[in-house]
Amino acid sequence: MQVQATTRQSYRQASRLLALAFLDEPVSQRIYRQLTRDQILRNLTLDFTGEMRICLRVGEPLEVRQDRVLAAAMIYPPGAYPLGRLDELFIQAGTVIGHTRYDFRAWQTWLKEAGRLHPDAPHYYLEYIGVEPTHQGQGLGSMLLTELTRRADAAKVGCYLETATERNVLLYQRFGFQIIAQKEVIGLPAWFMWRPPKTPPCRG
């Protein structure tokens, strides 16, 4: 297994995997709390498929695969995020068209707060990362984080992410991320994390 770029041939697999990985994620559960698990999975698959199309065009989505995609990440390089207005409208329309009803106001509140805390300094943005539930705990997420931080170090820029899953905070900290804000958003504890640019060693 190795990390490779997500392609137009594999992005639907990657999107479905992210939907499975985020099925029990706190924000997903909060926004889709009145739906069945099958309805949540369907909505998340639509969400991730639409966003992955945009990430393919302007971002650097990655995946780990064997005979199928086992882990995936939506990553945006410096300058690619926030998205343009048309892309944002495309995503918002996608969360309405074809969806079973959900808490649109809560979703917009989450996005607004995450956007407010987004750093201005050049950085790689890890928007989503997920591992197929049957393969979690096998280091696949760490493979993606290793590649992300390698790219950031090569470009001498920072990395940024936000999470509402407390158990993931320690994993991100092992890769050099630091908590820059912790607050409640839509009734959930959330962590906003920054990995500073790697400082090259001094040469005497």
Side-chain angles (χ1 to χ4, degrees):
M1 291 184 288
Q2 62 181 5
V3 176
Q4 59 191 62
T6 300
T7 67
R8 295 196 175 277
Q9 288 69 46
S10 65
Y11 84 93
R12 291 186 182 276
Q13 281 188 43
S15 301
R16 173 73 174 184
L17 177 147
L18 287 170
L20 286 168
F22 276 75
L23 188 57
D24 293 312
E25 187 268 341
V27 176
S28 300
Q29 286 292 309
R30 169 65 179 81
I31 292 169
Y32 297 120
R33 60 185 173 179
Q34 296 180 344
L35 306 184
T36 67
R37 288 178 68 83
D38 285 345
Q39 289 173 327
I40 295 172
L41 181 60
R42 179 178 179 274
N43 282 0
L44 287 174
T45 300
L46 287 170
D47 292 342
F48 284 120
T49 300
E51 293 196 42
M52 186 65 84
R53 290 195 189 103
I54 293 172
C55 194
L56 277 171
R57 178 165 50 80
V58 301
E60 297 179 7
L62 297 175
E63 65 189 37
V64 178
R65 64 180 303 126
Q66 199 167 37
D67 56 335
R68 65 187 189 281
V69 178
L70 299 177
M74 286 195 212
I75 297 168
Y76 291 91
Y81 200 94
L83 299 173
R85 183 59 178 160
L86 288 179
D87 287 334
E88 289 181 353
L89 289 174
F90 174 82
I91 291 173
Q92 290 180 12
T95 65
V96 175
I97 299 171
H99 269 51
T100 307
R101 109 188 127 78
Y102 70 104
D103 193 337
F104 182 79
R105 180 176 296 178
W107 177 231
Q108 292 302 303
T109 299
W110 172 266
L111 292 177
K112 182 178 180 180
E113 191 64 22
R116 190 180 71 80
L117 292 171
H118 212 96
D120 293 328
H123 65 279
Y124 273 84
Y125 175 40
L126 177 60
E127 185 174 27
Y128 300 109
I129 183 170
V131 178
E132 184 180 270
T134 59
H135 284 75
Q136 291 177 0
Q138 299 179 17
L140 303 185
S142 292
M143 291 174 65
L144 292 168
L145 288 168
T146 296
E147 177 60 19
L148 166 66
T149 54
R150 184 197 67 78
R151 294 185 183 197
D153 290 344
K156 298 181 174 59
V157 298
C159 298
Y160 174 75
L161 61 85
E162 62 269 333
T163 183
T165 304
E166 185 174 7
R167 68 176 181 272
N168 289 342
V169 172
L170 286 177
L171 171 63
Y172 297 137
Q173 287 176 328
R174 289 203 296 270
F175 282 86
F177 285 87
Q178 306 166 2
I179 298 171
I180 58 173
Q182 180 178 350
K183 61 188 305 182
E184 186 174 288
V185 183
I186 59 172
L188 300 171
W191 293 263
F192 302 83
M193 306 186 72
W194 169 255
R195 182 180 185 269
K198 187 174 181 180
T199 303
C202 297
R203 298 180 182 271

